[in-house]
């Protein structure tokens, strides 16, 4: 279902489409994160990504609950945006020869994903509020807060835990 097709007539349908989109995105992220964890050499980075993988599985469970509350079967719809972000992260990290530079590239790719999620959850929460889906607002806000925290942690690893410094001195 494309976002500009005539399948979406109401705000309720637009909200449901957004939920299906992020549901698909979270599932793709659970497949992408293990590969990033395998490639990461900085220990703080690998630990942080592992923790976020666990969080992501819980986020999917929260989305399941949101679908349930709306009396809808949980389902995903292909989201080309997240596919593109993951594909790009894969390509760039595949080309980084130096381990420290590779860590910096992993962080950049992961932060692009977090920002995407933050953007989508922000919109969904605003819509859920307008549509009166209070429980959905609660679950979605928990997910949003985790994405924000994950992004802050990645920033911290890049800036304070030496990843960028090490990468910038790589020969
Ligand atoms: Fe997520
Ligand atoms: Fe995330």
């Amino acid at each position: 279902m494309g976002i500009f097709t005539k399948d979406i007539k109401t705000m309720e349908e637009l909200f449901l489409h957004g939920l299906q989109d992020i549901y698909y995105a979270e599932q793709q992220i659970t497949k992408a994160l293990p590969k990033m964890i395998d490639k990461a050499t900085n220990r703080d980075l690998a630990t942080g990504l592992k923790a976020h993988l666990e969080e992501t599985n819980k986020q999917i469970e929260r989305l399941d609950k949101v679908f349930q509350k709306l009396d809808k079967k949980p389902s995903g719809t292909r989201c080309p945006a997240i596919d593109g972000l993951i594909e790009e992260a894969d390509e760039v990290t595949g080309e980084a020869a130096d381990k420290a530079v590779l860590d910096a590239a992993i962080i950049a790719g992961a932060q692009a994903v977090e920002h995407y999620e933050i953007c989508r959850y922000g919109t969904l929460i605003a819509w859920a509020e307008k549509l009166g889906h209070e429980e959905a607002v609660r679950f979605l806000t928990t997910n949003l807060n985790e994405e924000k925290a994950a992004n802050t942690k990645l920033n911290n690893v890049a800036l304070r835990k030496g990843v960028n410094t090490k990468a910038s001195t790589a020969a």
Side-chain angles (χ1 to χ4, degrees), residues 24-35:
Y24 171 89
E26 294 290 12
Q27 280 165 337
Q28 297 313 110
I29 292 164
T30 62
K31 290 180 205 161
L33 276 173
K35 292 182 209 158

Side-chain angles (χ1 to χ4, degrees), residues 84-108:
L85 288 174
I86 290 172
E87 200 183 300
E88 190 186 44
D90 229 36
E91 272 175 27
V92 176
T93 56
E95 281 166 25
D98 181 272
K99 297 250 182 236
V101 174
L102 175 60
D103 281 341
I106 293 169
I107 293 174

Side-chain angles (χ1 to χ4, degrees), residues 41-68:
T41 47
N42 179 286
R43 212 186 306 156
D44 291 307
L45 176 57
T47 311
L49 292 174
K50 266 182 212 157
H52 197 51
L53 174 58
E54 280 170 36
E55 277 178 344
T56 303
N57 284 316
K58 298 237 168 65
Q59 290 173 353
I60 293 171
E61 287 172 22
R62 279 185 212 111
L63 290 175
D64 282 330
K65 286 180 191 148
V66 172
F67 281 109
Q68 272 171 31

Side-chain angles (χ1 to χ4, degrees), residues 104-159:
I106 293 169
I107 293 174
Q111 284 196 283
V113 170
E114 294 316 315
H115 278 85
Y116 174 78
E117 293 180 286
I118 289 166
C119 159
R120 286 299 155 112
Y121 280 119
T123 299
L124 287 171
I125 290 163
W127 290 350
E129 276 169 358
K130 274 283 167 239
L131 294 166
H133 299 310
E134 281 166 33
E135 278 168 310
V137 170
R138 207 159 44 78
F139 288 125
L140 295 170
T141 302
T142 304
N143 285 9
L144 173 64
N145 289 338
E146 287 181 352
E147 311 303 9
K148 284 183 180 169
N151 181 60
T152 304
K153 263 193 229 165
L154 286 163
N155 243 347
N156 202 37
V157 173
L159 302 173

